[in-house]
Short mmCIF file of all heavy atoms in Angstrom, two decimals:
data_model
loop_
_atom_site.label_atom_id
_atom_site.label_comp_id
_atom_site.label_asym_id
_atom_site.label_seq_id
_atom_site.Cartn_x
_atom_site.Cartn_y
_atom_site.Cartn_z
N ALA O 203 24.42 12.56 19.21
CA ALA O 203 23.71 13.18 20.32
C ALA O 203 22.45 12.39 20.68
O ALA O 203 22.13 12.21 21.86
CB ALA O 203 23.34 14.62 19.98
N ASP O 204 21.75 11.89 19.66
CA ASP O 204 20.54 11.11 19.92
C ASP O 204 20.87 9.79 20.61
O ASP O 204 20.13 9.34 21.49
CB ASP O 204 19.80 10.84 18.61
CG ASP O 204 19.12 12.08 18.06
OD1 ASP O 204 18.91 13.04 18.83
OD2 ASP O 204 18.78 12.09 16.86
N PHE O 205 21.97 9.17 20.22
CA PHE O 205 22.37 7.91 20.85
C PHE O 205 22.70 8.15 22.33
O PHE O 205 22.30 7.37 23.20
CB PHE O 205 23.57 7.31 20.12
CG PHE O 205 23.90 5.91 20.55
CD1 PHE O 205 23.44 4.82 19.84
CD2 PHE O 205 24.68 5.67 21.68
CE1 PHE O 205 23.74 3.52 20.22
CE2 PHE O 205 24.97 4.38 22.09
CZ PHE O 205 24.50 3.30 21.35
N VAL O 206 23.43 9.24 22.61
CA VAL O 206 23.76 9.57 24.00
C VAL O 206 22.49 9.82 24.80
O VAL O 206 22.35 9.37 25.95
CB VAL O 206 24.70 10.79 24.05
CG1 VAL O 206 24.87 11.27 25.49
CG2 VAL O 206 26.05 10.45 23.44
N GLN O 207 21.52 10.53 24.21
CA GLN O 207 20.26 10.78 24.90
C GLN O 207 19.53 9.47 25.19
O GLN O 207 18.97 9.29 26.28
CB GLN O 207 19.36 11.68 24.05
CG GLN O 207 17.98 11.93 24.69
CD GLN O 207 17.03 12.66 23.76
OE1 GLN O 207 17.41 13.08 22.66
NE2 GLN O 207 15.79 12.81 24.19
N ALA O 208 19.54 8.56 24.22
CA ALA O 208 18.76 7.32 24.36
C ALA O 208 19.44 6.31 25.27
O ALA O 208 18.77 5.63 26.07
CB ALA O 208 18.52 6.70 22.98
N PHE O 209 20.77 6.18 25.17
CA PHE O 209 21.47 5.11 25.89
C PHE O 209 22.40 5.61 27.00
O PHE O 209 22.92 4.80 27.77
CB PHE O 209 22.29 4.28 24.89
CG PHE O 209 21.45 3.42 23.98
CD1 PHE O 209 21.10 3.86 22.72
CD2 PHE O 209 21.00 2.17 24.39
CE1 PHE O 209 20.33 3.08 21.87
CE2 PHE O 209 20.23 1.38 23.56
CZ PHE O 209 19.88 1.84 22.29
N GLY O 210 22.65 6.91 27.07
CA GLY O 210 23.50 7.43 28.13
C GLY O 210 24.98 7.16 27.93
O GLY O 210 25.75 7.21 28.90
N GLU O 211 25.39 6.91 26.70
CA GLU O 211 26.79 6.65 26.38
C GLU O 211 27.04 6.99 24.92
O GLU O 211 26.09 7.18 24.15
CB GLU O 211 27.14 5.18 26.64
CG GLU O 211 26.30 4.21 25.80
CD GLU O 211 26.62 2.76 26.12
OE1 GLU O 211 27.72 2.31 25.72
OE2 GLU O 211 25.78 2.09 26.74
N ALA O 212 28.31 7.07 24.52
CA ALA O 212 28.65 7.36 23.14
C ALA O 212 28.40 6.12 22.28
O ALA O 212 28.53 4.98 22.74
CB ALA O 212 30.10 7.79 23.03
N PRO O 213 28.04 6.30 21.01
CA PRO O 213 27.78 5.15 20.14
C PRO O 213 29.05 4.48 19.66
O PRO O 213 30.12 5.09 19.60
CB PRO O 213 27.03 5.78 18.96
CG PRO O 213 27.58 7.18 18.89
CD PRO O 213 27.82 7.59 20.32
N GLY O 214 28.92 3.20 19.31
CA GLY O 214 29.97 2.49 18.60
C GLY O 214 29.75 2.64 17.11
O GLY O 214 29.01 3.52 16.66
N ALA O 215 30.38 1.78 16.33
CA ALA O 215 30.24 1.85 14.88
C ALA O 215 28.83 1.46 14.46
O ALA O 215 28.21 0.57 15.06
CB ALA O 215 31.26 0.93 14.21
N LEU O 216 28.34 2.12 13.41
CA LEU O 216 27.06 1.73 12.83
C LEU O 216 27.24 0.44 12.05
O LEU O 216 28.23 0.27 11.33
CB LEU O 216 26.55 2.83 11.90
CG LEU O 216 25.20 2.55 11.24
CD1 LEU O 216 24.07 2.86 12.19
CD2 LEU O 216 25.05 3.36 9.94
N LEU O 217 26.28 -0.49 12.18
CA LEU O 217 26.33 -1.75 11.45
C LEU O 217 25.35 -1.79 10.28
O LEU O 217 25.66 -2.35 9.23
CB LEU O 217 26.01 -2.91 12.39
CG LEU O 217 26.94 -3.11 13.58
CD1 LEU O 217 26.42 -4.24 14.47
CD2 LEU O 217 28.35 -3.40 13.11
N SER O 218 24.17 -1.22 10.45
CA SER O 218 23.16 -1.24 9.39
C SER O 218 22.12 -0.18 9.66
O SER O 218 22.00 0.34 10.77
CB SER O 218 22.50 -2.63 9.30
OG SER O 218 21.70 -2.88 10.45
N MET O 219 21.35 0.13 8.63
CA MET O 219 20.20 1.01 8.76
C MET O 219 19.07 0.45 7.92
O MET O 219 19.30 -0.19 6.89
CB MET O 219 20.54 2.44 8.35
CG MET O 219 21.14 2.60 6.97
SD MET O 219 21.63 4.32 6.69
CE MET O 219 22.35 4.19 5.04
N GLY O 220 17.83 0.66 8.37
CA GLY O 220 16.70 0.08 7.67
C GLY O 220 15.43 0.90 7.82
O GLY O 220 15.25 1.64 8.79
N LEU O 221 14.56 0.77 6.84
CA LEU O 221 13.23 1.36 6.88
C LEU O 221 12.25 0.29 7.35
O LEU O 221 12.39 -0.89 7.01
CB LEU O 221 12.82 1.84 5.49
CG LEU O 221 13.85 2.66 4.72
CD1 LEU O 221 13.33 2.99 3.32
CD2 LEU O 221 14.23 3.92 5.47
N MET O 222 11.24 0.68 8.12
CA MET O 222 10.33 -0.31 8.67
C MET O 222 8.94 0.28 8.86
O MET O 222 8.77 1.27 9.57
CB MET O 222 10.86 -0.84 10.00
CG MET O 222 9.98 -1.86 10.67
SD MET O 222 10.77 -2.45 12.20
CE MET O 222 9.41 -3.34 12.95
N THR O 223 7.96 -0.32 8.22
CA THR O 223 6.54 -0.03 8.44
C THR O 223 5.90 -1.32 8.90
O THR O 223 5.97 -2.34 8.20
CB THR O 223 5.88 0.47 7.15
OG1 THR O 223 6.45 1.73 6.78
CG2 THR O 223 4.37 0.63 7.32
N ASP O 224 5.31 -1.34 10.10
CA ASP O 224 4.82 -2.59 10.68
C ASP O 224 3.41 -2.45 11.23
O ASP O 224 3.07 -1.45 11.84
CB ASP O 224 5.78 -3.10 11.76
CG ASP O 224 5.94 -2.12 12.91
OD1 ASP O 224 6.22 -0.94 12.65
OD2 ASP O 224 5.79 -2.53 14.08
N THR O 225 2.62 -3.50 11.01
CA THR O 225 1.22 -3.52 11.47
C THR O 225 0.84 -4.89 12.02
O THR O 225 -0.33 -5.22 12.11
CB THR O 225 0.27 -3.18 10.31
OG1 THR O 225 0.48 -4.13 9.23
CG2 THR O 225 0.52 -1.78 9.77
N ASP O 226 1.84 -5.71 12.38
CA ASP O 226 1.56 -7.09 12.79
C ASP O 226 0.90 -7.18 14.16
O ASP O 226 0.08 -8.06 14.40
CB ASP O 226 2.84 -7.94 12.77
CG ASP O 226 3.92 -7.38 13.70
OD1 ASP O 226 4.11 -6.15 13.74
OD2 ASP O 226 4.57 -8.18 14.40
N ASN O 227 1.24 -6.28 15.06
CA ASN O 227 0.67 -6.35 16.41
C ASN O 227 -0.79 -5.91 16.45
O ASN O 227 -1.62 -6.53 17.11
CB ASN O 227 1.51 -5.51 17.38
CG ASN O 227 2.88 -6.10 17.63
OD1 ASN O 227 3.01 -7.26 17.97
ND2 ASN O 227 3.91 -5.30 17.44
N THR O 228 -1.08 -4.82 15.75
CA THR O 228 -2.45 -4.31 15.73
C THR O 228 -3.30 -4.99 14.67
O THR O 228 -4.50 -4.75 14.60
CB THR O 228 -2.45 -2.79 15.47
OG1 THR O 228 -1.73 -2.52 14.25
CG2 THR O 228 -1.81 -2.04 16.62
N ARG O 229 -2.66 -5.82 13.83
CA ARG O 229 -3.36 -6.53 12.75
C ARG O 229 -4.17 -5.56 11.91
O ARG O 229 -5.36 -5.77 11.62
CB ARG O 229 -4.24 -7.65 13.32
CG ARG O 229 -3.46 -8.68 14.14
CD ARG O 229 -4.31 -9.87 14.55
NE ARG O 229 -4.78 -10.64 13.40
CZ ARG O 229 -4.04 -11.52 12.73
NH1 ARG O 229 -2.78 -11.72 13.08
NH2 ARG O 229 -4.55 -12.18 11.71
N SER O 230 -3.50 -4.50 11.50
CA SER O 230 -4.14 -3.45 10.72
C SER O 230 -3.34 -3.23 9.44
O SER O 230 -2.59 -4.10 9.00
CB SER O 230 -4.22 -2.17 11.55
OG SER O 230 -2.93 -1.78 11.99
N SER O 231 -3.49 -2.07 8.82
CA SER O 231 -2.79 -1.76 7.59
C SER O 231 -2.20 -0.36 7.67
O SER O 231 -2.67 0.49 8.42
CB SER O 231 -3.72 -1.89 6.38
OG SER O 231 -4.80 -0.98 6.49
N ALA O 232 -1.15 -0.12 6.87
CA ALA O 232 -0.51 1.19 6.84
C ALA O 232 0.30 1.32 5.57
O ALA O 232 0.74 0.33 4.97
CB ALA O 232 0.40 1.38 8.06
N ARG O 233 0.50 2.57 5.15
CA ARG O 233 1.35 2.89 4.01
C ARG O 233 2.28 4.03 4.41
O ARG O 233 1.94 4.87 5.24
CB ARG O 233 0.52 3.30 2.78
CG ARG O 233 -0.41 2.23 2.27
CD ARG O 233 -1.17 2.75 1.05
NE ARG O 233 -0.31 2.84 -0.11
CZ ARG O 233 -0.60 3.58 -1.19
NH1 ARG O 233 -1.69 4.31 -1.22
NH2 ARG O 233 0.22 3.59 -2.23
N ALA O 234 3.44 4.07 3.76
CA ALA O 234 4.38 5.16 3.98
C ALA O 234 5.28 5.30 2.77
O ALA O 234 5.61 4.31 2.11
CB ALA O 234 5.21 4.93 5.24
N TYR O 235 5.67 6.53 2.49
CA TYR O 235 6.65 6.81 1.45
C TYR O 235 7.95 7.23 2.14
O TYR O 235 7.94 8.09 3.03
CB TYR O 235 6.18 7.93 0.53
CG TYR O 235 4.91 7.65 -0.22
CD1 TYR O 235 3.67 7.98 0.32
CD2 TYR O 235 4.95 7.07 -1.49
CE1 TYR O 235 2.49 7.74 -0.38
CE2 TYR O 235 3.77 6.82 -2.20
CZ TYR O 235 2.55 7.16 -1.63
OH TYR O 235 1.39 6.91 -2.32
N TYR O 236 9.07 6.65 1.71
CA TYR O 236 10.37 6.99 2.27
C TYR O 236 11.26 7.59 1.19
O TYR O 236 11.40 7.01 0.10
CB TYR O 236 11.08 5.75 2.82
CG TYR O 236 10.42 5.10 4.01
CD1 TYR O 236 9.49 4.07 3.84
CD2 TYR O 236 10.75 5.47 5.31
CE1 TYR O 236 8.90 3.44 4.94
CE2 TYR O 236 10.17 4.85 6.41
CZ TYR O 236 9.24 3.83 6.21
OH TYR O 236 8.66 3.21 7.30
N GLY O 237 11.84 8.74 1.50
CA GLY O 237 12.84 9.32 0.61
C GLY O 237 14.22 8.77 0.92
O GLY O 237 14.41 8.03 1.90
N PRO O 238 15.22 9.10 0.10
CA PRO O 238 16.58 8.60 0.33
C PRO O 238 17.14 9.00 1.70
O PRO O 238 16.79 10.03 2.25
CB PRO O 238 17.39 9.26 -0.80
CG PRO O 238 16.38 9.57 -1.86
CD PRO O 238 15.12 9.91 -1.11
N VAL O 239 18.02 8.16 2.20
CA VAL O 239 18.69 8.40 3.48
C VAL O 239 20.11 8.84 3.19
O VAL O 239 20.83 8.18 2.43
CB VAL O 239 18.70 7.13 4.36
CG1 VAL O 239 19.38 7.39 5.69
CG2 VAL O 239 17.27 6.61 4.55
N ALA O 240 20.53 9.95 3.78
CA ALA O 240 21.86 10.50 3.46
C ALA O 240 22.57 10.94 4.72
O ALA O 240 21.97 11.51 5.63
CB ALA O 240 21.71 11.68 2.50
N TRP O 241 23.89 10.70 4.75
CA TRP O 241 24.73 11.12 5.87
C TRP O 241 25.49 12.39 5.50
O TRP O 241 25.96 12.55 4.38
CB TRP O 241 25.76 10.03 6.21
CG TRP O 241 25.17 8.84 6.88
CD1 TRP O 241 24.73 7.70 6.28
CD2 TRP O 241 24.96 8.65 8.28
NE1 TRP O 241 24.26 6.81 7.21
CE2 TRP O 241 24.39 7.37 8.45
CE3 TRP O 241 25.20 9.44 9.40
CZ2 TRP O 241 24.07 6.86 9.71
CZ3 TRP O 241 24.88 8.94 10.66
CH2 TRP O 241 24.32 7.67 10.79
N ARG O 242 25.60 13.29 6.45
CA ARG O 242 26.47 14.44 6.32
C ARG O 242 27.66 14.21 7.23
O ARG O 242 27.54 14.21 8.44
CB ARG O 242 25.74 15.73 6.70
CG ARG O 242 26.60 16.99 6.54
CD ARG O 242 25.86 18.22 7.03
NE ARG O 242 24.64 18.45 6.25
CZ ARG O 242 23.73 19.32 6.60
NH1 ARG O 242 23.86 20.03 7.72
NH2 ARG O 242 22.65 19.50 5.85
N LYS O 243 28.81 13.99 6.63
CA LYS O 243 29.99 13.64 7.40
C LYS O 243 30.39 14.78 8.34
O LYS O 243 30.24 15.94 8.01
CB LYS O 243 31.16 13.29 6.48
CG LYS O 243 30.95 12.01 5.69
CD LYS O 243 32.19 11.65 4.90
CE LYS O 243 31.99 10.33 4.16
NZ LYS O 243 33.21 9.95 3.40
#
Side-chain angles (χ1 to χ4, degrees):
D204 287 341
F205 190 97
V206 171
Q207 177 188 355
F209 290 96
E211 60 182 288
L216 181 81
L217 300 176
S218 68
M219 54 186 178
L221 313 176
M222 179 178 168
T223 295
D224 60 309
T225 58
D226 59 318
N227 291 308
T228 55
R229 302 187 64 79
S230 57
S231 61
R233 298 180 73 198
Y235 298 90
Y236 294 92
V239 181
W241 287 93
R242 182 184 298 169
K243 293 185 177 181

